[in-house]
Amino acid sequence: MFLRNCWYVAAHDRGVGRALTPTTILDEHIVLFRTADGRPVALEDACPHRKLPLSKGRLHDAAVECGYHGLAFDGTGHCVAAPTQGNIPPSARVRSYPLVERYGMVWIWMGEPEMADPATIFSVPNDGDPAWGRTHGGVMELDCNYLYVTDNLLDPSHVAWVHVSSFAGAGTESQPLKIDVSDRGVVVSRWMMDRAPPPYYGPMLRFSGNCDRLQHYEVVFPSIGVNKSIFTPVGTGGSAEILDPRAFVNISYNFITPITAKRSRYFWYQHRNTDPLNEEITRRMDDGALAAFLEDRDILNAVQIGMDEARTPHLDLGLDAGALRFRRALQRLIEAEATARRDSGST
Amino acid sequence: MQGNTGDWQTFQVVRKKHETEMIASFHLAPCDGMDVPTFRPGQFLTVRLPAGEGGVELLRTYSISSPPDERRFFRISVKREPAPAGLSVPPGRVSTHLHDHVQVGQNLTILPPRGDFVLSEPSQRSVLLLSGGVGLTPMVAMAHRLAAQGTRRTWFIHACENGRAHAFRDEVASLAARAANLRTYACYNRPDPADREAGAFDAEGLLTAEKLQSFLPIDDYECYLCGPPGFMQALYATLIGLGVCEQQIHYEFFGPASVLKSGKTSQGEANATASQAAPAVGAGAIVTFARSGFSVRWDERYNSILEFAEAHGVSPDFSCRAGVCSTCRCALRSGAVTYFEEPLAEPGAGMALICCSRPDGDVTLDL
Ligand SMILES: Cc1cc2nc3c(=O)[nH]c(=O)nc-3n(C[C@H](O)[C@H](O)[C@H](O)COP(=O)(O)OP(=O)(O)OC[C@H]3O[C@@H](n4cnc5c(N)ncnc54)[C@H](O)[C@@H]3O)c2cc1C
Ligand code: FES
Ligand code: FES
Ligand SMILES: [Fe+2]
């Protein structure tokens, strides 16, 4: 149901501090905190004695102390104190999850710890480039399966009905969408030539007149949405690799972390190749994105209920082609992982 | 309701008119007295004749020649297809039947307008309408629209045998008299003495690049081409030679599409108005709709078997039309298909998804 041998966003790094913070990821209860020297830690949120969540205990300099009988665990999950009996039972330990801080977020590895390789964390091009501006972004929870969110991130057509106020108009485009499936994920994209720039983006463009425009909707395994827009002067469009120096690029990164089968956490921020220090633009883009995501959330929460309670079969339409190809490819990865786990004898 | 009756509708012949010795127009009005459906100039109707003695239903397509603003009836204009000279074969079945047996008051079963050989409407480019013989029917509808709009510079260039074979001469001339943006040019292959006396034509012989250059101002044209295959091949090459880019040349074949671009002459040239039912022209698989009880030669202009079936009045079930939902899954009684879009789920042995495939040789479908 979930891909495990991969990195998910557990929290914004500003969301993890010197407090015990419970969370749930892929149905597993986890407690997040920072050690006194600032390192983030993720432990299984259940004391091995009577399974009281450790997040109900106390955080000391280098250990969490259980709030029931005082067993204490360090950042690796080893028990470092058993105050009621003096000697520490060797089996007193909790699972510790590999974590890495990158791009302002804390990434967690949910699979076999020995396979965790930080080099496989999703890579953000131009990260840290002073010419690029980044929004603050945000986080929210949705009451739906994460695959309804990836469906939505591969479906440009819903914009015309769901985001009537925010980005209206884009769904009436007749230019066909191209679908590419690769071993990284699925891309649904199209170039639209010689179009008037939409009012929302117009003020950010460094050229006047019409533009060639790229819409790029991508979901990378396991569930990271990359929504890239390029606006470039008429005649210079057609390639996202070789860009005209006047081209405006905005990329919205959407990191979906499944909480349970019917609940998902959504982290996002946007990255643009202009006006790095312009707080006004940053604020406007943050506001726009939040408004749009709240519109999506409203729909997707209701879709989950609708699908759960459906008494008649549902349809798949042409607009679902990219999303269904993504689901199929991810399903194959999940099955391959389960087979490998069975073969190697681990649980 | 049967599963595959399609959108067939019954229309009444309210007028029959001889445009020339060989071409007759039929005005078709909805039996319920309603307006006809809207259409885009250039589109065609599909006419179905019920199975007769031979037991096969006949489907033929005819371009709409009436003005797009005419909402009371559709007009189609049909050329009688005699047996080709020197061959002892029967004359064209549907055209002969329409000419000889269909009269005012009778009903015809048709499909609503289809086809994507249509005037591109938002564009303001100058237009060249280039037709040969009965290939002028879609151009007449386009000329009405262009004259009514009055904005795009338009040349209606028509090639035919002589004045007796020149359909719609008066109708187009009166349009041109009223619309300053529309001009006409007629090229007669073998004019009659009467044509010479009346000064009825602008040039004689075949339409050539020199003739076009002699009167066409240099401009950025959008071209519409329809006529016998030989005419289309020659004119296509001429237009490319005059610097018109491929994307600006739109064309329609009144029979199986032949090769336009390679310069190779397709065999279709021998039979200037070959129909779908005519013997093989180029390669073409036979698609048999077993439950509907007819076979048609595959036509390259259709993207998928699903589209092809719909164009012939069969209405298979579908949902996504993108190979991901399996709704269009259908049994292949014989033959094979090739997929241009990989099905998301294998359709299974002996089955095919028809929204994302084309025939690979002759096929028989359970439709
Ligand atoms: C998009 C489109 C639009 C069209 N619009 C028009 C239009 O506006 N007006 C119009 O008149 N037509 C139009 N056509 C052509 C029309 O659809 C028919 O193809 C045409 O009327 C001939 O059909 P038929 O049934 O009369 O002839 P068929 O019975 O199909 O026969 C075709 C020819 O083959 C000959 N033939 C028969 N048997 C043999 C044999 N064994 N060997 C060799 N030759 C043989 C016949 O004598 C005849 O000349 C259009 C076609 C298309 C595809
Ligand atoms: S049209 Fe997509 S849910 Fe109704
Ligand atoms: S219509 Fe969905 S697979 Fe063909
Ligand atoms: Fe959305």
Side-chain angles (χ1 to χ4, degrees):
Chain A
M1 214 175 33
F2 305 119
L3 196 64
R4 291 185 177 271
N5 284 320
C6 60
W7 296 94
Y8 289 93
V9 172
H12 279 122
D13 53 13
R14 58 183 182 259
V16 184
R18 286 291 288 155
L20 295 171
T21 310
T23 187
T24 303
I25 298 174
L26 312 194
D27 273 331
E28 294 178 20
H29 300 305
I30 294 169
V31 57
L32 296 171
F33 60 89
R34 275 181 202 274
T35 56
D37 57 6
R39 275 180 312 109
V41 173
L43 298 180
E44 175 186 352
D45 194 15
C47 173
H49 174 224
R50 283 294 179 271
K51 300 293 178 184
L52 180 75
L54 292 177
S55 53
K56 286 184 114 32
R58 276 164 220 97
L59 179 58
H60 297 293
D61 273 1
V64 198
E65 178 191 78
C66 178
Y68 200 3
H69 308 100
L71 287 183
F73 302 88
D74 69 7
T76 64
H78 288 96
C79 184
V80 291
T84 57
Q85 58 182 50
N87 42 12
I88 298 170
S91 54
R93 49 176 310 182
V94 292
R95 178 169 172 195
S96 153
Y97 296 81
L99 293 185
V100 172
E101 287 189 85
R102 194 168 292 178
Y103 312 130
M105 289 167 302
V106 179
W107 297 76
I108 188 166
W109 179 267
M110 298 297 294
E112 330 273 337
E114 58 283 3
M115 290 174 70
D117 176 1
T120 61
I121 291 179
F122 173 82
S123 107
V124 174
N126 303 304
D127 181 67
D129 183 332
W132 285 61
R134 192 185 145 154
T135 64
H136 304 291
V139 55
M140 69 183 184
E141 287 184 16
L142 295 89
D143 285 315
C144 71
N145 184 272
Y146 70 110
L147 294 172
Y148 289 126
V149 187
T150 59
D151 286 354
N152 176 275
L153 289 167
L154 284 168
D155 160 27
S157 72
H158 79 278
V159 173
W161 290 275
V162 178
H163 306 304
V164 178
S165 49
S166 22
F167 315 113
T172 56
E173 175 63 41
S174 62
Q175 180 68 29
L177 291 155
K178 192 159 127 299
I179 300 175
D180 294 302
V181 183
S182 72
D183 50 12
R184 157 184 161 104
V186 170
V187 181
V188 171
S189 65
R190 65 182 155 208
W191 272 98
M192 300 174 290
M193 304 305 190
D194 199 357
R195 304 300 152 93
Y200 181 84
Y201 287 108
M204 288 174 252
L205 305 186
R206 286 170 291 190
F207 56 90
S208 55
N210 275 4
C211 58
D212 292 346
R213 174 173 182 191
L214 173 74
Q215 284 182 320
H216 169 111
Y217 292 74
E218 176 175 16
V219 179
V220 175
F221 302 124
S223 44
I224 297 175
V226 181
N227 186 344
K228 174 155 62 178
S229 299
I230 297 179
F231 299 88
T232 185
V234 172
T236 64
S239 160
E241 277 68 50
I242 310 153
L243 280 181
D244 185 274
R246 292 161 296 174
F248 170 72
V249 181
N250 183 53
I251 308 175
S252 159
Y253 292 105
N254 311 270
F255 307 96
I256 317 304
T257 305
I259 301 174
T260 64
K262 292 190 184 177
R263 205 163 160 77
S264 307
R265 195 168 289 117
Y266 190 158
F267 300 88
W268 72 87
Y269 71 85
Q270 297 176 74
H271 204 201
R272 61 178 185 270
N273 71 343
T274 60
D275 307 290
L277 303 173
N278 189 327
E279 259 310 305
E280 167 60 24
I281 290 183
T282 296
R283 195 186 48 73
R284 213 166 66 84
M285 294 186 85
D286 267 333
D287 291 351
L290 178 63
F293 296 154
L294 290 173
E295 288 168 343
D296 284 322
R297 177 167 76 175
D298 185 41
I299 296 286
L300 295 179
N301 289 356
V303 161
Q304 178 72 56
I305 297 172
M307 293 291 277
D308 283 346
E309 297 180 354
R311 312 181 62 140
T312 50
H314 70 275
L315 290 181
D316 291 318
L317 300 175
L319 66 91
D320 300 308
L324 292 177
R325 289 194 189 275
F326 176 81
R327 280 177 177 250
R328 163 59 61 98
L330 180 62
Q331 187 57 35
R332 292 229 164 101
L333 294 178
I334 293 172
E335 281 161 12
E337 201 177 89
T339 312
R341 219 182 359 256
R342 250 197 324 278
D343 294 350
S344 74
S346 52
T347 43
Chain B
M1 272 276 292
Q2 250 173 281
N4 43 29
T5 47
D7 297 328
W8 292 104
Q9 294 169 7
T10 307
F11 275 55
Q12 191 177 42
V13 178
V14 293
R15 185 166 178 220
K16 180 175 177 182
K17 178 175 180 240
H18 275 274
E19 308 288 355
T20 67
E21 290 162 23
M22 299 296 275
I23 298 178
S25 284
F26 297 82
H27 292 212
L28 308 176
C31 289
D32 53 12
M34 305 288 279
D35 280 359
V36 297
T38 51
F39 71 98
R40 298 187 59 188
Q43 287 190 305
F44 57 78
L45 300 179
T46 306
V47 173
R48 178 172 76 184
L49 294 189
E53 308 238 322
V56 257
E57 200 168 68
L58 295 172
L59 302 176
R60 296 289 182 274
T61 45
Y62 293 99
S63 305
I64 304 172
S65 64
S66 42
D69 300 331
E70 176 55 74
R71 307 305 314 285
R72 292 165 301 170
F73 58 84
F74 291 129
R75 178 177 66 189
I76 57 170
S77 308
V78 180
K79 177 169 171 268
R80 185 192 277 279
E81 292 298 340
L87 278 189
S88 59
V89 293
R93 284 159 296 173
V94 174
S95 61
T96 306
H97 178 84
L98 290 171
H99 271 256
D100 295 345
H101 300 293
V102 173
Q103 309 301 347
V104 171
Q106 266 171 261
N107 288 342
L108 280 181
T109 309
I110 65 169
L111 280 181
R114 287 171 199 262
D116 48 16
F117 174 68
V118 292
L119 185 65
S120 81
E121 300 250 36
S123 157
Q124 281 304 323
R125 271 205 186 81
S126 298
V127 179
L128 286 190
L129 305 176
L130 286 155
S131 55
V134 74
L136 91 172
T137 48
M139 312 300 179
V140 174
M142 293 186 192
H144 274 282
R145 170 60 53 85
L146 290 160
Q149 286 171 340
T151 48
R152 300 171 70 176
R153 184 141 71 133
T154 304
W155 281 93
F156 190 156
I157 299 162
H158 182 58
C160 59
E161 206 51 23
N162 53 39
R164 283 177 293 122
H166 190 168
F168 302 112
R169 184 174 52 200
D170 296 343
E171 181 169 324
V172 174
S174 81
L175 275 182
R178 278 179 283 130
N181 64 317
L182 175 66
R183 315 225 4 220
T184 65
Y185 181 88
C187 183
Y188 288 177
N189 192 16
R190 268 182 290 255
D192 286 342
D195 294 332
R196 293 186 198 287
E197 246 164 66
F201 57 97
D202 301 285
E204 186 175 338
L206 295 175
L207 198 52
T208 58
E210 297 72 60
K211 283 189 182 123
L212 291 180
Q213 272 171 316
S214 72
F215 70 93
L216 276 184
I218 305 229
D219 200 347
D220 183 13
Y221 292 106
E222 205 168 271
C223 306
Y224 296 85
L225 192 57
C226 182
F231 168 89
M232 298 197 24
Q233 277 157 353
L235 267 289
Y236 190 88
T238 302
L239 292 173
I240 297 289
L242 292 176
V244 180
C245 74
E246 265 180 48
Q247 289 82 343
Q248 295 305 338
I249 308 180
H250 309 273
Y251 54 87
E252 179 97 296
F253 281 100
F254 274 6
S258 1
V259 183
L260 257 195
K261 292 163 202 172
S262 71
K264 267 186 274 162
T265 359
S266 97
Q267 298 159 26
E269 213 177 356
N271 183 355
T273 48
S275 79
Q276 299 104 311
V281 174
I286 302 290
V287 181
T288 301
F289 297 100
R291 283 204 263 157
S292 313
F294 67 90
S295 301
V296 203
R297 190 175 293 282
W298 169 252
D299 184 332
E300 290 299 330
R301 289 173 305 177
Y302 293 94
N303 203 39
S304 63
I305 298 176
L306 176 60
E307 281 181 15
F308 184 66
E310 290 169 334
H312 291 88
V314 181
S315 304
D317 199 4
F318 69 83
S319 182
C320 72
R321 304 181 80 99
V324 296
C325 77
S326 297
T327 308
C328 65
R329 207 162 75 110
C330 117
L332 260 180
R333 293 202 191 166
S334 71
V337 301
T338 48
Y339 290 98
F340 55 88
E341 195 84 70
E342 185 204 342
L344 187 65
E346 269 297 313
M351 307 293 285
L353 297 190
I354 58 172
C355 72
C356 49
S357 64
R358 303 188 186 108
D360 183 2
D362 295 354
V363 284
T364 303
L365 299 157
D366 192 34
L367 287 171

